[in-house]
Amino acid sequence: MNVSLRFAMSLVLAGLLIFALLMSNSLLLRSQQDALSRLNERIINETSRSAQRSLSEFLAIPERGNALMKVVIESAEIPLSPDLAALERPMFDILTQTLTEHAALNSMAFANEKGEFIGLVRKPDQRDFFLVLKDRRTQHTFQAYPGTVVSTPSLIIEFYDPRTRPWYQLALERGKPVWSEIYNNAFNSTESLMSYATPLMNAKRQVTGVLVSNLQIHRFNQFLLQLPDLRNGAIFIVDEKNRLIAHSSNESVLQVQSSSVTKQVSRKLPSQSDLAVVRAAGRYLDQNLQRFDFLLDGEKIYGRILPLENQNGLNWRIVVLLPENDLIGTLKQEQRSVIILIFLGALGVMLLGWYFSGYISWPILQVAQAAENFGNAPMQNGWQPQDHRGWQLRETAQLTRSFNRMAQQLIQSFRLISNQMRLDEVTGLLSRDGLRTALENWHYSAEHKQLMLQIGLDGFRAINDSVGHTVGNMLLSSIAHRLQHSLPPDVLLARTAGTEFTMLFPKVDPTEMGDLVQFYRDSFVTAFSVASADEIVVPASVGALYGHFELTQFDDWLRNASIALGQAKARGHGSSAVFESEMLEQSIARTRLTNELKLALEREEFRVFFQPVIDLATGETIGAEALVRWQSPNGMVSPALFIPAAEESGLILPLGQWVLRDACRQIAEKIAQGWRTDFGLHVNVSVRQLIQSDFYEQVRMVLAETALPANGLTLEITESCLITQSEVIVSLVRRLRALGVSVAIDDFGTGYSSLAYLHQFDFDCLKIDQSFVARMLDNPQDQAIVSAIIDMAAGFDATLVAEGIETAAQADHLRAIGCQHAQGYFFGRPAPLEAWPQQPVRPDIQ
Ligand code: C2E
Ligand code: CA
Ligand code: CA
């Protein structure tokens, strides 16, 4: 997963904040809930108690009314028979003035033992009363009047005896004030009443009449509904039989079961209430509990059961039901708001964190982005630090600065390195890689052919060795300068190797090609003048490649031009060659041979053969020439085949050294076994060996190791190397000769300009090339040359060896014209020493 620093920081901040706030909030909540449940308890207790109190007060009204009437009657000694007129006034006053507000008090009445009756009944409009009478004035019929005075009756009932009414009976029976059961109104069967009856007694404690105050039961409901703090709760009252007396609802507690004849009115049980909460609470009534709670529709309801009793026979219970929401509803709501606030706060903090962490992450991101750009293309994009905002954190500013510095330094290094790679330090020309890069933007014509010239300096190493490195470099530089000044536009020039310059012409006609090759070959005929040094002639060979160039074939072109150059060099100094496909094949064959030679060297497949050198005067063997042989798995291979390849590949160096050591060792052993100590060993050395700076040291070491006397060793140098390597070789030859080693010039007479250089050398021996010897007897010209060489050798005070004597006639002739030594199949073929005759060499004559 990959999350940004910014997001992570904001998230952590917000998370911490939420955690902290929720923790503190939940702690708070717990203590709040403790407080809350106490508060709940109190609220419900108080509600219950206030309901209980209110109901008690409600029930106290009839009791008070009766008590007042009783006081009035007894203190005023109002006559209670046969006419009850004197009761009208006080009864009216009590109802309308003393108990005005208690509309529940429906009616008040009095009946004496004779059945006379007076009552005031509240009208349905609740404000006014009407009078009911049954006394002497009404001829003992029951009459009801529209007002509170006797007038035309609105209702007359013949046979109404109050003494049969439940309240009268109860008071008479008990002899003290008493609450009646709930009963049906005599005049309206759908109305339930409850009466408080107070018996009046004479001195003999005989009941003389009964005062009654009536409560309409349905008023209880209204009363309960008016109770404060109920809200979504409910209250209900049940009697001792658990029948509903009232509930906080507008529905009646009465139920009417009517048949065709009768109409039965009864009170509902709580389970029959229209209020669900009352129905649910009903089942707790039988359990004799004071408190209970239950769930209704997922809401918790708390319930309380309180007694409502008095000495007057009342034995009810009040049940108060309050839903939890009413108690702590707001608090829960607040709690929710607090949590929402916490989350909003956290969101705010997260946004703030997001905003401010930008100051940290932005520079880091920028550095990272820059590093990436930089990594992709350091030279193009560079690194441009931008000032982000007004301020930055010290750490990130430091990071930006450090990266900036590093980038700048890297760019500088890159530039340097890439320049170094593109340009050649010595000449300022393009390097090989630089040429490759330059070719990407090089314009050349696809319709025409292109020409690549490779100019190789011949023998530059020797020049370098003689004039020193610094002057050598200056020489290279002035060669580059000369080449550059001769260049037409759009021609690329590069120094592709140490002594190799390459030119690429974008458009060359076939007729122009030869001229161009000629021109650049000739431009090396004139000497270069470098600083204090003398004018130096640097011969150069030119390899040419002509065809349709393609960028993808750049490497092939370089290789083929180089092959052509190699061919040119093989033709001799100052030559040129145009590439042909056979050259490639030869080159491949040479490469294969080179690899085989390398293996042969590792597997020690080379052997040294020796060919005797004879003193023509005496016929004695006075020395031998070491000639290397390759015993390859396919048979013996002639050195004429592999020596050129070994020279070209450089393998001649280890091979030549091995031959020198092995030959010296073998001959030294023979001398130790009794051969003459002045036995002359000839070893061929290649020019490449000679120009090695440590060649002298190698020879010295081999002599020391093998204990071969220095004056017993002659190094054979081909005539051709006298021409090019003069300076180096002259001094080397001088040192070798000082050591006691002799030097022979091999194949003398084959090099056409060799005579001009001969005088520079102090050599000890000339070897007449076998081609002269072979032709000498048939060709007077060759005979003359051989004679001349013999005279010349005498002039130089050098010994002479004639090579390739195959016949006795040749030997005789050479002896006759004064040639001292000879070599050839006539005397002996090259062979391993083991194959030599037992005693070919005469021991020293001491
Ligand atoms: P070279 O130095 O002129 O050696 C003389 C060559 O003439 C030898 O050929 C030898 O076998 C051959 N030869 C000797 N007598 C006669 C004869 O009567 N008639 C004919 N036709 N040939 C005769 P080889 O051994 O094949 O060597 C060829 C060349 O290879 C040598 O010519 C020499 O230039 C080179 N070479 C041989 N061994 C070495 C070596 O160890 N180092 C170097 N640098 N070159 C070597
Ligand atoms: Ca030789
Ligand atoms: Ca030779």
Side-chain angles (χ1 to χ4, degrees):
M1 203 171 74
N2 198 340
V3 175
S4 77
L5 173 70
R6 223 179 154 181
F7 180 71
M9 281 177 66
S10 334
L11 203 70
V12 166
L13 263 177
L16 281 175
L17 189 82
I18 289 177
F19 179 74
L21 287 180
L22 282 182
M23 277 301 281
S24 64
N25 185 55
S26 82
L27 285 176
L28 201 74
L29 193 70
R30 199 170 301 164
S31 68
Q32 266 183 346
Q33 264 167 348
D34 286 350
L36 210 75
S37 53
R38 282 197 295 275
L39 190 72
N40 268 358
E41 189 66 27
R42 227 171 56 214
I43 290 174
I44 194 161
N45 277 348
E46 238 149 57
T47 308
S48 309
R49 234 163 271 125
S50 103
Q52 190 184 34
R53 203 162 42 239
S54 304
L55 270 169
S56 299
E57 276 168 21
F58 186 73
L59 290 170
I61 294 161
E63 293 177 3
R64 228 165 45 240
N66 279 13
L68 277 170
M69 269 310 285
K70 191 182 174 200
V71 168
V72 169
I73 289 169
E74 280 170 358
S75 59
E77 295 183 0
I78 292 171
L80 300 176
S81 185
D83 180 336
L84 298 175
L87 283 178
E88 277 171 35
R89 190 73 229 166
M91 198 176 275
F92 184 77
D93 284 352
I94 287 169
L95 276 177
T96 57
Q97 285 165 31
T98 317
L99 302 171
T100 45
E101 72 275 29
H102 296 293
L105 190 56
N106 177 60
S107 55
M108 203 177 215
F110 173 75
N112 63 20
E113 76 266 302
K114 294 180 186 122
E116 287 153 346
F117 179 79
I118 182 172
L120 280 172
V121 179
R122 204 182 287 271
K123 287 182 179 174
D125 67 8
Q126 302 287 306
R127 269 193 303 274
D128 218 352
F129 293 86
F130 59 82
L131 180 68
V132 287
L133 264 184
K134 183 192 175 192
D135 62 3
R136 193 179 56 187
R137 287 174 290 171
T138 66
Q139 285 86 46
H140 294 279
T141 59
F142 181 90
Q143 293 188 353
Y145 308 100
T148 49
V149 291
V150 177
S151 57
T152 316
S154 56
L155 175 75
I156 300 172
I157 297 173
E158 284 293 336
F159 313 104
Y160 172 80
D161 188 348
R163 289 168 300 183
T164 64
R165 298 304 297 155
W167 48 273
Y168 194 93
Q169 293 287 319
L170 198 64
L172 190 67
E173 200 177 288
R174 296 277 170 87
K176 58 171 191 166
V178 67
W179 276 100
S180 75
E181 286 270 301
I182 294 173
Y183 61 95
N184 294 342
N185 193 336
F187 308 103
N188 179 357
S189 64
T190 60
E191 187 184 68
S192 288
L193 292 176
M194 211 178 108
S195 304
Y196 184 69
T198 307
L200 295 182
M201 297 200 209
N202 58 15
K204 295 176 197 156
R205 294 201 58 81
Q206 288 166 324
V207 173
T208 53
V210 175
L211 275 168
V212 65
S213 291
N214 299 317
L215 288 173
Q216 280 175 307
I217 293 298
H218 74 267
R219 298 246 164 233
F220 267 73
N221 283 359
Q222 276 150 20
F223 175 78
L224 292 182
L225 278 171
Q226 284 161 18
L227 281 179
D229 294 334
L230 209 50
R231 278 183 287 189
N232 300 320
I235 293 187
F236 66 97
I237 306 166
V238 287
D239 63 15
E240 63 275 6
K241 288 176 181 160
N242 285 346
R243 284 173 309 196
L244 276 177
I245 288 166
H247 55 186
S248 48
S249 161
N250 285 317
E251 284 278 319
S252 168
V253 292
L254 294 180
Q255 56 182 358
V256 183
Q257 283 159 339
S258 43
S259 68
S260 51
V261 205
T262 53
K263 211 156 63 165
Q264 272 240 305
V265 178
S266 63
R267 274 182 291 135
K268 295 174 181 172
L269 292 169
S271 60
Q272 294 166 312
S273 166
D274 63 306
L275 297 175
V277 67
V278 173
R279 285 201 299 276
R283 61 180 182 272
Y284 294 96
L285 291 175
D286 296 328
Q287 296 176 21
N288 203 14
L289 294 167
Q290 281 193 328
R291 58 189 69 202
F292 58 91
D293 52 55
F294 57 91
L295 279 176
L296 182 67
D297 296 336
E299 190 178 20
K300 195 165 188 181
I301 311 279
Y302 291 97
R304 271 288 179 290
I305 301 178
L306 295 151
L308 187 65
E309 321 173 298
N310 64 7
Q311 69 275 26
N312 302 327
L314 213 64
N315 187 16
W316 296 350
R317 284 186 292 171
I318 307 173
V319 182
V320 179
L321 301 166
L322 285 178
E324 190 181 41
N325 265 1
D326 279 4
L327 299 166
I328 55 163
T330 52
L331 223 119
K332 276 199 155 172
Q333 191 60 43
E334 273 167 28
Q335 201 58 44
R336 216 167 293 141
S337 325
V338 166
I339 287 173
I340 288 174
L341 271 176
I342 287 174
F343 276 99
L344 283 178
L347 194 73
V349 167
M350 201 168 144
L351 288 176
L352 272 176
W354 178 263
Y355 179 76
F356 284 107
S357 59
Y359 282 97
I360 301 169
S361 64
W362 190 87
I364 295 176
L365 276 178
Q366 220 200 10
V367 168
Q369 183 62 51
E372 196 170 317
N373 291 347
F374 193 73
N376 289 339
M379 299 307 285
Q380 268 120 61
N381 300 335
W383 153 254
Q384 288 304 314
Q386 291 147 26
D387 249 329
H388 167 35
R389 292 164 206 183
W391 60 276
Q392 262 195 27
L393 290 176
R394 198 186 319 142
E395 288 83 354
T396 54
Q398 173 71 41
L399 176 69
T400 312
R401 265 199 309 279
S402 307
F403 183 82
N404 191 16
R405 254 201 305 277
M406 184 196 75
Q408 305 289 11
Q409 277 165 7
L410 272 177
I411 286 173
Q412 274 172 15
S413 314
F414 278 145
R415 289 223 173 94
L416 213 70
I417 290 169
S418 111
N419 278 345
Q420 278 172 0
M421 280 167 62
R422 259 179 344 102
L423 296 180
D424 167 51
E425 256 181 292
V426 177
T427 61
L429 296 181
L430 291 173
S431 65
R432 194 188 185 92
D433 288 331
L435 178 61
R436 192 192 303 276
T437 315
L439 279 171
E440 285 165 13
N441 300 313
W442 188 54
H443 300 290
Y444 60 93
S445 159
E447 294 151 29
H448 294 80
K449 288 185 173 177
Q450 286 74 43
L451 174 68
M452 183 181 267
L453 291 186
Q454 212 164 69
I455 299 173
L457 308 180
D458 295 323
F460 191 81
R461 193 193 293 246
I463 298 175
N464 226 5
D465 284 348
S466 66
V467 299
H469 218 70
T470 318
V471 179
N473 280 354
M474 289 160 85
L475 182 58
L476 280 171
S477 194
S478 68
I479 292 169
H481 194 72
R482 183 181 292 179
L483 287 174
Q484 207 159 25
H485 274 263
S486 64
L487 281 188
D490 263 348
V491 176
L492 293 175
L493 171 63
R495 182 179 175 215
T496 43
T499 60
E500 209 177 274
F501 296 89
T502 301
M503 292 181 209
L504 203 52
F505 296 77
K507 175 186 166 188
V508 175
D509 289 333
T511 51
E512 291 177 294
M513 189 186 74
D515 296 343
L516 280 169
V517 172
Q518 185 65 43
F519 174 83
Y520 284 101
R521 215 173 54 186
D522 291 350
S523 63
F524 284 82
V525 171
T526 323
F528 295 91
S529 52
V530 179
S532 55
D534 298 335
E535 301 226 313
I536 306 172
V537 175
V538 186
S541 301
V542 178
L545 180 61
Y546 186 58
H548 288 287
F549 176 77
E550 265 173 59
L551 189 57
T552 51
Q553 290 168 357
F554 173 64
D555 286 323
D556 292 345
W557 272 57
L558 271 185
R559 183 201 56 204
N560 293 349
S562 171
I563 288 172
L565 177 61
Q567 196 75 28
K569 285 193 170 193
R571 289 175 192 172
H573 290 171
S575 310
S576 63
V578 181
F579 176 79
E580 285 157 26
S581 51
E582 302 87 72
M583 292 182 187
L584 181 62
E585 284 155 27
Q586 288 165 11
S587 154
I588 290 169
R590 260 201 307 279
T591 313
R592 193 179 305 130
L593 180 60
T594 306
N595 289 334
E596 283 170 7
L597 287 176
K598 213 177 283 176
L599 273 177
L601 202 60
E602 282 168 18
R603 294 176 187 157
E604 298 178 358
E605 290 174 353
F606 292 103
R607 299 204 55 191
V608 180
F609 280 26
F610 295 89
Q611 185 178 37
V613 178
I614 306 297
D615 184 342
L616 276 175
T618 63
E620 282 177 300
T621 301
I622 52 152
E625 178 176 6
L627 293 160
V628 71
R629 294 290 179 267
W630 176 17
Q631 282 179 324
S632 87
N634 307 321
M636 193 72 83
V637 182
S638 159
L641 285 175
F642 66 82
I643 289 291
E647 285 191 329
E648 199 180 317
S649 63
L651 272 178
I652 195 68
L653 302 179
L655 178 63
Q657 198 180 357
W658 177 82
V659 170
L660 177 67
R661 178 173 287 117
D662 200 56
C664 291
R665 181 184 57 79
Q666 291 196 44
I667 297 301
E669 272 173 20
K670 286 291 175 192
I671 290 172
Q673 285 166 20
W675 285 12
R676 49 190 294 175
T677 47
D678 63 346
F679 187 88
L681 169 65
H682 288 236
V683 177
N684 296 288
V685 285
S686 153
V687 95
R688 292 199 63 161
Q689 285 175 273
L690 291 174
I691 59 176
Q692 278 180 288
S693 51
D694 67 339
F695 182 74
Y696 170 83
E697 201 52 34
Q698 281 178 30
V699 175
R700 216 183 51 79
M701 289 282 289
V702 168
L703 290 176
E705 276 172 35
T706 59
L708 186 81
N711 52 16
L713 179 64
T714 302
L715 298 178
E716 295 191 3
I717 303 169
T718 51
E719 191 194 2
S720 59
C721 73
L722 301 183
I723 305 163
T724 47
Q725 319 295 340
S726 50
E727 295 270 337
V728 190
I729 291 170
V730 164
S731 78
L732 173 71
V733 164
R734 200 168 292 145
R735 292 169 71 206
L736 285 171
R737 292 186 75 238
L739 197 65
V741 174
S742 304
V743 173
I745 294 175
D746 203 356
D747 300 344
F748 189 75
T750 51
Y752 47 90
S753 55
S754 53
L755 283 171
Y757 293 92
L758 261 187
H759 72 276
Q760 295 179 8
F761 280 93
D762 299 325
F763 56 91
D764 306 275
C765 173
L766 273 184
K767 294 187 83 172
I768 305 175
D769 191 69
Q770 52 188 315
S771 58
F772 297 109
V773 175
R775 294 190 297 257
M776 159 183 84
L777 293 184
D778 308 324
N779 192 332
Q781 224 174 338
D782 288 310
Q783 211 170 3
I785 291 174
V786 173
S787 298
I789 294 173
I790 293 170
D791 290 344
M792 200 169 65
F796 279 110
D797 195 20
T799 52
L800 197 79
V801 182
E803 287 188 299
I805 287 97
E806 293 184 351
T807 61
Q810 289 168 336
D812 289 341
H813 179 79
L814 287 167
R815 193 183 301 115
I817 58 172
C819 179
Q820 298 157 287
H821 302 143
Q823 213 182 313
Y825 295 166
F826 177 69
F827 302 110
R829 289 180 174 259
L833 282 186
E834 307 89 74
W836 275 35
Q838 271 300 308
Q839 217 20 285
V841 180
R842 177 182 54 84
D844 278 336
I845 319 153
Q846 219 68 52

